[in-house]
Amino acid sequence: MAIALIFILSFLGLVIAFYFMKKVTDIPLDLGLDTEESGRLKTIHGAIAEGAMAFLKQQYKYLAYFMIGFAIVIAVLIDDQHTPDVREGIFTAIAFLFGAIISILSGYIGMKVATAGNARTTVSARNNIADAFVVAMNSGAVMGFALVGLATLGLIVIYLVMNVVLPEVENNVLMEVIAGFGLGGSSIALFARVGGGIFTKAADVGADLVGKVEKGIPEDDPRNPAVIADNVGDNVGDVAGMGADLFGSCAESTCAALVISAIAFSADLNAMLYPIMISAVGIPVSLVTKMLVRVHTEEQVAPALKKLLMISSGIMAVVLYFITMWMIPDSFEINGEIYSNMGVYWCFFSGLLSGLAVGLLTEYYTSDQYKPVQDIAKSCETGAATNIIFGLALGYKSTVLPYIAIAISIFVSWELAGMYGIAIASLGMLGTLAIALTIDAYGPVADNAGGIAEMVGLDKEVRRRTDILDSAGNTTAAIGKGFAIGAAILTSLALFGAFLTHSQNLMRELPEFGANYDLIGSITLLDPVVFVSLFLGAVLPFLFSAMTMKSVGAAAFDMIEEVRRQFREIPGIMEGQGRPQYAQCVAISTQAALREMIAPGVLIMCTPLAVGFLFGVTAVAGMLAGSLVTGGVLAIASSNSGGAWDNAKKYIEAGNLGGKGSEEHKAAVVGDTVGDPLKDTSGPSLNILIKLSAILSLVFAPFFVNYGGLLI
């Protein structure tokens, strides 16, 4: 029954995605435009779509080599000596490739529709804001429903396939193999986030510093050579990158819960598949929510996006109560502790509630409707330096309340259902993923729509309407980033618990440890290996963040030089008579992103393997704990500082504190430029770091147990 229902709901997600894709693409590109406007729009839209797809093709070519190479590493290194008849590594490698392919497919679909929906949002804005809102939301919905549908379908398919191929293998071993699926999704997310973030910020920084600051031309002005690359980057970073990030969270948290549930519910298939069902049920809940919320006036746009999150969370809380009571037995045992189905439900609810709290707190610290961002804007009266100081202070302060909310959820879940409860809490935070991704993908579509309106030279009323859509999207994008970070923290902790549980079970079968060995109880801070590895894990996010920021700086340097060259050497650009070489800027961003994403990727992929091989399981546990705690804090601070600087600039541009062109505005632009790599590259990429380290450790646990600890 559970398997059939998961299949039905997964296919429903794909059908919904196809329906919305058809709704978007059926709108004519030249709707209501004259011949000249239509020609300009098609040229600009084509350049953005072509640039985005060209980047993806280049990136996927590199990723194909990585996928094959790392699958071989998995197949060779993972060999559980306790199941001699089964070469776990080979089947884990297959699951890894399957997860990676689905993650790539999800990003490709979202990007394809986002680049189709941006221009159609622009032409729809000529009619009214309600039509434009619907087109942007439908474009985002394709990504949201397709990704969740593919994730749940992929998980149930890989389970059934492995169950047929490995009929004699116990469920707990089967779920450990399936964890490779989550590793595949997370690995692709790493490169999509880092590469996409470097691409978009190189273009954005180059466009802002030369175009807006040095030349004094507006944002999205067609005279700026980097303007097409900037619009391409919005899709590359915020559609493909964000999609891969949250696909990874969904797959990883589900895999963590499956590994633990296979131990608790080995004879109860319904209960064992409950983690997949949580995400699958979110598909119809998100559809109902989308149908309930409508926009008719400009004032309703921003509240509508927040309503989508609130309503979907409320419906999900009710529906999951009945699903939990049906699928989870009244009581069950994990590691000698007795838990209840009601306790599992409260774990889910605590995750759902903490996710909502983190999102709303992020809005408070990053929206220009509230005092923190207004204080940053006011600090621009004394220059860029005070703006930077206030922005950094806001980022640090904004970590406190979200961490308290997440800590409460962790405590409640741990008390009610142990490590399994934390895995369910992480899925609770991701329960409304389809609608959350819809809202996230809506943002870059609306942003691109405004840029296209400016570049085509449409009526100012069209740009005003798209700016309203974009402004609302900026706020929800910040909420989405906070939501993604919170989900990453809980997902990482769930994977950490699954890693310890899995390692403990493996070690109990070794004669030197015995059947009663308690790995979890033996890990103590008084152990120098654990303490030193905790320090190593704590500095890892800072090194990773430094690498990604430096990568953005290096890429932006190339972009700035190119934009300056074109203004200097191409006659008539500033007068609107010379045509900038847009493709050259797109090529610079593409090359820089592909080049600069390699070193951070190698750092994250290799560190857990090296620590585990050299120092063993307890060292890996210390490293994971250190990177989880500091990585989450740094991610929230970076993301919120960057978001606050961005919205402080927009607050001034709206006519406050001197408005556009004022000294305050110039100071705000500098702050926004500093914040760009923090909020769109380093901050979001830290999500991947803490999740990927944990899922790598889980998948390679047999290698660490059997061959690790070379130096101790």
Side-chain angles (χ1 to χ4, degrees), residues 362 365-366 394-395 398 477-483 485 633-646 675 677-680 682-684 686-687:
T362 304
Y365 282 110
T366 59
L394 178 144
S398 70
I479 293 174
K481 286 184 175 71
F483 168 83
I485 293 166
V633 172
L634 187 58
I636 293 173
S638 299
S639 182
N640 287 352
S641 286
W645 275 318
D646 185 13
L678 293 176
K679 73 180 173 69
D680 290 329
S682 296
L686 287 166
N687 298 348

Side-chain angles (χ1 to χ4, degrees), residues 14-54:
L14 299 180
V15 169
I16 293 168
F18 179 78
Y19 169 77
F20 285 125
M21 179 168 30
K22 194 82 170 57
K23 291 269 287 184
V24 171
T25 54
D26 279 350
I27 298 170
L29 263 178
D30 56 356
L31 181 70
L33 302 180
D34 59 36
T35 305
E36 187 178 343
E37 290 173 335
S38 175
R40 286 200 300 268
L41 182 137
K42 288 179 179 178
T43 299
I44 291 165
H45 166 260
I48 294 171
E50 184 180 335
M53 289 304 154

Side-chain angles (χ1 to χ4, degrees), residues 168-400:
E168 304 300 322
V169 171
E170 294 180 2
N171 278 324
N172 63 313
V173 177
L174 199 64
M175 293 308 180
E176 291 152 15
V177 169
I178 292 172
F181 180 89
L183 176 58
S186 190
S187 300
I188 297 303
L190 169 67
F191 294 105
R193 259 300 190 195
V194 174
I198 292 169
F199 184 107
T200 185
K201 290 306 108 183
D204 202 1
V205 170
D208 282 356
L209 284 183
V210 182
K212 291 169 72 174
V213 176
E214 294 182 9
K215 296 296 181 181
I217 60 178
E219 190 170 5
D220 296 317
D221 193 301
R223 293 174 292 177
N224 193 326
V227 71
I228 295 293
D230 190 7
N231 280 274
V232 169
D234 289 335
N235 295 288
V236 167
D238 291 337
V239 177
M242 173 64 87
D245 182 358
L246 288 174
F247 173 86
S249 289
C250 180
E252 289 159 338
S253 55
T254 305
C255 288
L258 287 172
V259 168
I260 301 173
S261 68
I263 298 169
F265 310 114
S266 57
D268 187 341
L269 184 62
N270 273 2
M272 194 164 60
L273 297 180
Y274 171 74
I276 305 178
M277 184 67 77
I278 293 175
S279 298
V281 167
I283 292 171
V285 167
S286 296
L287 177 62
V288 170
T289 304
K290 189 176 183 304
M291 293 169 63
L292 289 174
V293 177
R294 291 285 182 268
V295 164
H296 302 288
T297 65
E298 296 174 0
E299 292 76 18
Q300 294 175 336
V301 173
L305 295 174
K306 201 183 296 185
K307 280 181 188 175
L308 287 166
L309 290 173
M310 298 284 198
I311 293 171
S312 61
S313 297
I315 297 174
M316 196 71 180
V318 174
V319 172
L320 251 294
Y321 171 79
F322 296 101
I323 295 291
T324 306
M325 295 303 108
W326 164 51
M327 297 188 75
I328 302 294
D330 292 341
S331 64
F332 59 94
E333 179 183 336
I334 300 178
N335 290 332
E337 297 289 335
I338 304 298
Y339 304 115
S340 69
N341 56 1
M342 197 64 204
V344 171
Y345 171 74
W346 286 120
C347 293
F348 165 83
F349 186 77
S350 71
L352 185 73
L353 209 59
S354 65
L356 203 57
V358 169
L360 294 176
L361 286 166
T362 304
E363 180 193 17
Y364 172 73
Y365 282 110
T366 59
S367 171
D368 61 12
Q369 297 178 20
Y370 302 105
K371 192 172 184 296
V373 170
Q374 292 173 9
D375 285 345
I376 291 180
K378 187 168 178 57
S379 73
C380 293
E381 292 178 337
T382 49
T386 46
N387 181 28
I388 302 300
I389 293 168
F390 270 67
L392 289 173
L394 178 144
Y396 298 152
K397 185 178 179 181
S398 70
T399 63
V400 178

